[in-house]
Amino acid sequence: MSSPAAIFRLMRAGWIMTREGVISALPAEGLSGLPAFGHRMAGLLARRRAMTAQRSERMSRAINKLGPSYVKLGQFLATRPDVVGTEVADDLALLQDQLDFFPMDASIKAIEGSLGRSVSDLFVSLDEPIAAASIAQVHPAFVASNGDIKKVAVKVVRPGVRQRFNNDLESFFLVARWQERYVPATRRLRPIEVTRTLAQTTRIEMDLRLEAAALSEIGENTKDDPGFRVPTVDWERTGRDVLTLEWIDGVKMSDIEGLRAAGHNLIKLAETLIQSFLRHTLRDGFFHADMHPGNLFVDDEGHIVAVDFGITGRLGKKERRFLAEILYGFITRDYVRVAEVHFEAGYVPHRHDVASFAQAIRAIGEPIHGQPAETISMAKLLTLLFEVTELFDMETRPELVMLQKTMVVVEGVSRTLDPHFNMWKASEPVVGSWIRRNLGPQGILVDAREGAQAVLHLARQVPELVGRADRLSKELDRMAEHGLRFDEQTAHAIGKAEARHTRSGRIALWVIAICLVIITYELLS
Ligand SMILES: Nc1ncnc2c1ncn2[C@@H]1O[C@H](COP(=O)(O)OP(=O)(O)O)[C@@H](O)[C@H]1O
Ligand SMILES: [Mg+2]
């Protein structure tokens, strides 16, 4: 049950939002009766000054008054245009997360409480904070290691923020429940579930051990990658409320003049940034979901160093394949393929017609092909695509929306670094090689290796297969469809690869098939 305190907090929040003109700035179309009246009243009650400001400015002022939980709520809803609409989501994306520093004493208390050791024991010195946001602030500090003194960054969770968030969450749930009960039209948006997701992501963000783990995972994934790295974690000085990292000396990507002054190659940086992001999404299925330029440094060697891994996204194998195929389909103007992957992935219900869907996708793809490449935005394309897919009842995939939102940011940073940035050219090496490796013959081999059953099945067909090369390719195709334990997409990809590939590609498939047969014989004998 909701406590009176939650209701009171909610009333206060409602009042602040009304006064700052947020309520009256929300889209009113479709409202009638009491809600429409309320909307008009909100306009009358707003402060006169607030009414002259842009909506994003009004929201920003209200949210800053309401405190950290609302900053998080705003940031979270910015990633959910399916819930709040594209316009409001775009405005929310402009929110700055900057708060006042909290006192040194509070930091020390948090560090000692979390690590169970005194600050003087942990650090040679702990300096005044340099940055503060809703959840944490960051101090430079020094530690002694093997006789050396090393500079580190110490991120400390804001005192009381957890309690405050839990309290505000109660109010958010209250609203969600009311909404489900009294506004049936919004039930489709599953407000309670959305609130649950907010609770979950923010709880993760407030546990800095999880940020450390994300850093460490991305560090491992990218250890051999050119031009991108993350700071190392000092696990000894890391706990729920404290994260200690190698200090990064460098220029922030938001400081274009600084980058230029330091002699960095901005064009190369733009390319490395997008390639790194695509590698993380396609190859690793794990990406930094808050890649704004304030979280990206360029170090003295010209490497991009990312910090702030509180928000990350994961893509399963299915989503990665989906993404790669879509990008590839747009590049090759194969709109039917782009449409098909939506059905294969089960995102668009089968009651819809592939051809009509392909037609809608063509409407997005074709105008793009008439334009110079450097003006074509991949992020924009995904945005348009998701708008169209909504018309065909594609259910929202939060991980894909997160990816698309991050891509908007990453692509934006690349474009500020290089105004002539050609997204397609820059991404081709990563997308192309991923496709060749995963959907071409190599991928088939890898997938086949994963399924011993598939190999055995193939082996049983040996005499005929070796006898008739032509049948072999058909068999492979057929087995891919029915016999092999591939998942549906792989099966389809093989079929497509087979059909699409030139003669040399087909020969490659035969060679692979024969290799599989030999491997099987080796296994069986
Ligand atoms: N390892 C680091 N080295 C140097 N500065 C850092 C490091 N980590 C964070 N910072 C600084 O602290 C700021 C805030 O840290 P960040 O992890 O982005 O926290 P928040 O989630 O509050 O944005 C960064 O923008 C950066 O200026
Ligand atoms: Mg940050």
Side-chain angles (χ1 to χ4, degrees), residues 130-131 133 136 138 153 155 211 231 245-248 252 294-295 297 307-308:
I130 50 142
V138 172
K155 189 166 175 175
E211 180 168 346
L245 299 175
E246 158 198 1
W247 180 264
I248 301 299
K252 278 202 182 172
N295 285 337
F297 286 95
V307 298
D308 200 356

Coordinates of all heavy atoms in Angstrom, one line a residue, residues 130-131 133 136 138 153 155 211 231 245-248 252 294-295 297 307-308, ligand 1:
I130 N 36.0 16.6 -8.4 CA 36.1 17.4 -9.7 C 34.9 17.3 -10.5 O 34.7 18.1 -11.4 CB 37.3 16.9 -10.6 CG1 37.2 15.4 -10.7 CG2 38.6 17.3 -10.0 CD1 37.5 14.9 -12.1
A131 N 34.0 16.4 -10.2 CA 32.7 16.3 -11.0 C 31.7 15.7 -10.1 O 32.0 14.8 -9.2 CB 33.0 15.4 -12.2
A133 N 27.4 14.3 -10.1 CA 26.2 14.1 -10.8 C 25.2 13.5 -9.8 O 25.4 13.5 -8.6 CB 26.4 13.2 -12.0
A136 N 26.7 10.0 -8.2 CA 28.0 10.0 -7.6 C 28.8 11.2 -7.8 O 28.5 12.0 -8.7 CB 28.7 8.7 -8.1
V138 N 33.3 12.4 -8.3 CA 34.6 11.8 -8.5 C 35.7 12.7 -7.9 O 35.7 13.9 -8.1 CB 34.8 11.6 -10.1 CG1 36.2 11.2 -10.4 CG2 33.8 10.6 -10.6
A153 N 41.3 7.7 -9.9 CA 40.0 8.4 -9.9 C 39.1 7.6 -8.9 O 39.0 6.4 -9.1 CB 39.3 8.5 -11.2
K155 N 35.3 7.2 -7.5 CA 33.9 7.6 -7.7 C 33.2 7.2 -6.4 O 33.3 6.0 -6.0 CB 33.4 6.9 -8.9 CG 32.0 7.3 -9.4 CD 31.8 6.8 -10.8 CE 30.4 7.1 -11.3 NZ 30.2 6.7 -12.7
E211 N 29.5 -1.5 -11.9 CA 30.2 -0.7 -12.9 C 31.6 -1.2 -13.1 O 32.1 -1.2 -14.2 CB 30.2 0.8 -12.5 CG 30.9 1.7 -13.5 CD 30.7 3.2 -13.3 OE1 29.8 3.6 -12.5 OE2 31.4 4.0 -13.9
P231 N 39.8 2.4 -18.5 CA 40.7 2.5 -17.4 C 40.7 1.1 -16.6 O 39.6 0.5 -16.6 CB 40.2 3.6 -16.5 CG 38.9 4.0 -17.0 CD 38.7 3.5 -18.4
L245 N 39.6 3.8 -10.0 CA 40.1 3.5 -11.4 C 41.4 4.2 -11.6 O 41.7 5.2 -11.0 CB 39.1 4.1 -12.4 CG 37.7 3.6 -12.5 CD1 36.9 4.4 -13.5 CD2 37.7 2.1 -12.8
E246 N 42.2 3.6 -12.6 CA 43.4 4.3 -13.1 C 42.9 5.7 -13.5 O 41.9 5.9 -14.2 CB 43.8 3.5 -14.3 CG 44.7 4.2 -15.3 CD 44.7 3.4 -16.6 OE1 44.1 2.3 -16.8 OE2 45.4 3.9 -17.5
W247 N 43.7 6.7 -13.2 CA 43.4 8.1 -13.6 C 43.7 8.2 -15.1 O 44.8 7.8 -15.6 CB 44.2 9.1 -12.8 CG 43.9 10.5 -13.2 CD1 44.6 11.3 -14.1 CD2 42.9 11.3 -12.8 NE1 44.0 12.5 -14.2 CE2 42.9 12.6 -13.4 CE3 41.8 11.1 -11.9 CZ2 42.0 13.6 -13.2 CZ3 40.9 12.1 -11.6 CH2 41.0 13.4 -12.3
I248 N 42.8 8.8 -15.8 CA 43.1 9.0 -17.3 C 43.4 10.5 -17.5 O 42.7 11.4 -17.2 CB 41.8 8.7 -18.1 CG1 41.4 7.2 -17.9 CG2 42.0 9.0 -19.6 CD1 42.4 6.2 -18.3
K252 N 39.0 15.7 -23.2 CA 37.7 15.1 -23.4 C 37.2 15.3 -24.8 O 37.6 16.3 -25.5 CB 36.7 15.8 -22.5 CG 36.7 15.2 -21.1 CD 35.4 15.4 -20.3 CE 35.5 14.8 -19.0 NZ 34.4 15.2 -18.1
G294 N 31.4 13.7 -22.9 CA 31.9 14.0 -21.6 C 32.4 12.7 -20.9 O 33.2 12.8 -20.0
N295 N 32.0 11.6 -21.5 CA 32.5 10.3 -20.9 C 33.6 9.7 -21.7 O 34.0 8.6 -21.5 CB 31.3 9.3 -20.8 CG 30.4 9.6 -19.7 OD1 30.8 10.3 -18.7 ND2 29.2 9.2 -19.8
F297 N 37.5 10.2 -23.3 CA 38.8 10.9 -23.3 C 39.6 10.5 -24.5 O 39.4 9.4 -25.0 CB 39.6 10.6 -22.0 CG 39.2 11.1 -20.8 CD1 38.3 10.4 -19.9 CD2 39.6 12.4 -20.4 CE1 37.9 11.0 -18.7 CE2 39.2 13.0 -19.2 CZ 38.3 12.2 -18.3
V307 N 34.9 6.2 -20.0 CA 34.7 6.1 -18.6 C 33.1 6.0 -18.4 O 32.4 6.2 -19.4 CB 35.3 7.2 -17.7 CG1 36.8 7.2 -17.8 CG2 34.7 8.6 -18.1
D308 N 32.7 5.8 -17.2 CA 31.3 5.9 -16.8 C 30.5 4.7 -17.4 O 29.7 4.9 -18.3 CB 30.7 7.2 -17.3 CG 29.4 7.6 -16.5 OD1 29.0 6.7 -15.7 OD2 28.9 8.7 -16.8
Ligands
LIG1 N1 39.4 7.3 -14.6 C1 39.2 8.6 -14.7 N2 40.2 9.5 -14.9 C2 40.0 10.8 -15.0 N3 38.9 11.4 -14.8 C3 37.8 10.6 -14.6 C4 37.9 9.2 -14.5 N4 36.7 8.7 -14.2 C5 35.8 9.8 -14.2 N5 36.5 10.9 -14.4 C6 35.9 12.3 -14.4 O1 34.8 12.4 -13.6 C7 33.6 12.7 -14.3 C8 32.4 11.9 -13.8 O2 32.7 10.6 -13.8 P1 31.6 9.6 -14.5 O3 32.1 8.2 -14.3 O4 31.3 10.0 -15.8 O5 30.4 9.8 -13.5 P2 28.9 10.2 -13.7 O6 28.1 8.9 -13.8 O7 28.6 11.0 -12.5 O8 28.8 11.0 -15.0 C9 34.0 12.3 -15.7 O9 33.3 13.0 -16.7 C10 35.5 12.6 -15.8 O10 35.7 14.0 -15.9

